[in-house]
Amino acid sequence: MDEWTYNLDQGIQINVVYTDFEKAFDKVPHQDLISKFEAYNLNILLLWIQDFLCNRKQRVINGTYSQWYRVDSGIPQGSILGPLLFLIYINDLPNVTQNTDTRIFLYADDAKIYRRITCVEDSQCLQRVIDKVKQWCDEWLLPLNVSKCNVMSFTSKINLDTSYCIRNKDRKHTIQKVDSIKDLGILFDTRLNFKDHIQEKINKAYNMIGLLKRNFIHVDCNTFILLYKALVRPHVEYVNSVWSPYKKCDIEQIEKIQRRATKLVISLQKIAIQGTSTPSKFIHTKI
C-alpha cells in the first residue's frame, strides 16, 4: 500500500495481476513436494513428511464401496501442516521476478504480480513475468484458474490501455480487467479511495445492528458493550490501517454507526432525553 499510494501521488500507474491456482491444495504432487524439501536441505524432516503424505489411499462410499485408489497428489486439508507444506511448495515462485522491476506477493493459494507502468515496454515486461509464472505452474503441475485471474490498474489519471493474457499451449486467454477487486477482505478500487469498501462495511454494521434490535428487546449497558464489540465493531475495524477514512463525510458516516447502536439501550435513551449526556459519549469510554 505504501508503494502503491506513493506512485499514485506521483501520477504513475500501477498494474496488478491477481492470480489463483486451480484446486491448489489438491494438485500438489507428493514427489515434487518432497524434492522441494531436499532442495531446502530439510532432510531431517524428510522421512516424517514422506510418512505423512505418501502411501495414502481413498475410496468413494455411496451405498457401496468403490475400489481403493492411490493418492499421489494433494495436501491433507484441515491439518496444521497443510498450509505450511503448500507454502514450502510455492516458496520459489517469486524467483521468476528476479532482475526485474516487477514484484510478486503470495498469500495461501493467491498471488498478485504488480509493476509500475510508464510506457509500453513496462507493460510488455509485466507480460513476460506472467509468462514465466505460467511456465513455473506448468513445470510444477500447479495450473492457474484462468477464469479467476484478474488485472487491475491503479491510477489517478487516464490509464494506459493495456491487456494481458495467459498462454495455454496454442490458445491465449485474455485476463479480465476489473475496476474493483476484493483482496484479503478489502475492496480495492482504481483510485485507492476505498469509498465502496467503506460503504460496504457501513451496510454490514447496520445489518448487525438490525439483527441485535430484532433479537434483543431489553439490553443493558454491559450486555450492549459485549454484543457491540463482538458483532458490530469488527466490521468497521478490520484492517482499518489500510482503508482508514480521511474524508469528513466518510468519518461521519462511520461515527453514526455507534450513535445508532447506543439507541438500542433503553437506559441510555432516557439519559439522552434528560439532557445529561449523549448516549455515545456516555458509553464511549467503555467501548
Side-chain angles (χ1 to χ4, degrees):
M1 274 299 299
D2 290 339
E3 186 176 346
W4 290 359
T5 52
Y6 174 79
N7 284 279
L8 203 65
D9 292 339
Q10 301 297 318
I12 299 174
Q13 177 177 329
I14 296 287
N15 280 4
V16 186
V17 178
Y18 291 86
T19 64
D20 184 83
F21 296 109
E22 182 179 348
K23 296 181 179 179
F25 283 80
D26 297 329
K27 294 290 183 73
V28 176
H30 293 164
Q31 293 303 320
D32 289 345
L33 176 58
I34 292 172
S35 69
K36 292 287 182 81
F37 270 82
E38 294 174 343
Y40 291 135
N41 294 322
L42 298 175
N43 297 324
I44 191 172
L45 301 174
L46 192 57
L47 293 177
W48 183 39
I49 297 300
Q50 283 180 326
D51 186 65
F52 178 69
L53 289 177
C54 300
N55 300 320
R56 287 177 174 267
K57 294 183 179 182
Q58 66 180 15
R59 63 179 176 177
V60 179
I61 303 175
N62 186 16
T64 58
Y65 295 99
S66 68
Q67 296 181 356
W68 286 102
Y69 293 93
R70 288 186 56 187
V71 179
D72 296 324
S73 65
I75 295 174
Q77 299 186 42
S79 63
I80 297 175
L81 280 178
L84 179 61
L85 293 177
F86 182 79
L87 290 178
I88 292 174
Y89 190 73
I90 66 172
N91 187 60
D92 61 323
L93 176 57
N95 293 341
V96 302
T97 63
Q98 286 183 348
N99 302 321
T100 67
D101 291 331
T102 307
R103 302 189 66 183
I104 180 171
F105 282 90
L106 305 176
Y107 183 83
D109 61 340
D110 296 321
K112 52 176 172 279
I113 313 160
Y114 71 88
R115 181 187 175 91
R116 291 159 38 110
I117 304 297
T118 58
C119 60
V120 177
E121 176 62 25
D122 290 335
S123 182
Q124 293 173 351
C125 289
L126 181 56
Q127 178 62 59
R128 287 194 289 269
V129 171
I130 296 172
D131 294 336
K132 290 182 180 180
V133 171
K134 180 63 170 63
Q135 183 180 354
W136 183 95
C137 293
D138 293 339
E139 180 181 353
W140 293 103
L141 304 178
L142 204 62
L144 290 172
N145 190 341
V146 181
S147 62
K148 290 186 177 181
C149 294
N150 297 289
V151 60
M152 188 171 177
S153 298
F154 297 109
T155 179
S156 58
K157 300 180 179 179
I158 299 176
N159 60 354
L160 297 173
D161 189 11
T162 55
S163 61
Y164 305 96
C165 64
I166 296 176
R167 296 180 174 90
N168 188 8
K169 295 182 180 179
D170 297 333
R171 298 180 58 187
K172 291 198 307 184
H173 301 273
T174 302
I175 303 176
Q176 182 182 4
K177 194 168 186 178
V178 295
D179 294 327
S180 63
I181 193 167
K182 183 162 287 190
D183 185 8
L184 300 181
I186 303 176
L187 187 61
F188 285 81
D189 55 81
T190 56
R191 297 182 182 273
L192 293 179
N193 57 25
F194 299 105
K195 188 176 183 62
D196 294 336
H197 176 80
I198 292 173
Q199 189 59 51
E200 178 184 346
K201 293 304 175 183
I202 289 173
N203 293 339
K204 284 186 177 181
Y206 280 138
N207 288 338
M208 295 309 302
I209 292 174
L211 178 67
L212 296 179
K213 187 176 181 179
R214 291 190 298 270
N215 291 276
F216 296 90
I217 300 176
H218 300 289
V219 181
D220 58 25
C221 291
N222 293 329
T223 304
F224 168 78
I225 291 172
L226 292 175
L227 293 172
Y228 184 82
K229 286 182 176 180
L231 301 177
V232 180
R233 198 170 71 173
H235 290 292
V236 294
E237 284 191 347
Y238 174 71
V239 200
N240 57 12
S241 58
V242 173
W243 58 268
S244 181
Y246 59 92
K247 294 182 178 179
K248 187 176 180 179
C249 58
D250 293 331
I251 296 174
E252 289 178 348
Q253 289 294 322
I254 294 176
E255 290 293 334
K256 284 182 181 179
I257 296 173
Q258 182 168 311
R259 289 198 293 268
R260 177 175 294 186
T262 52
K263 293 180 181 179
L264 299 177
V265 186
I266 298 177
S267 60
L268 296 183
Q269 293 178 3
K270 295 179 180 179
I271 292 174
I273 293 174
Q274 295 171 0
T276 56
S277 176
T278 60
S280 58
K281 288 182 179 179
F282 182 83
I283 205 168
H284 176 73
T285 55
K286 291 187 177 181
I287 293 182

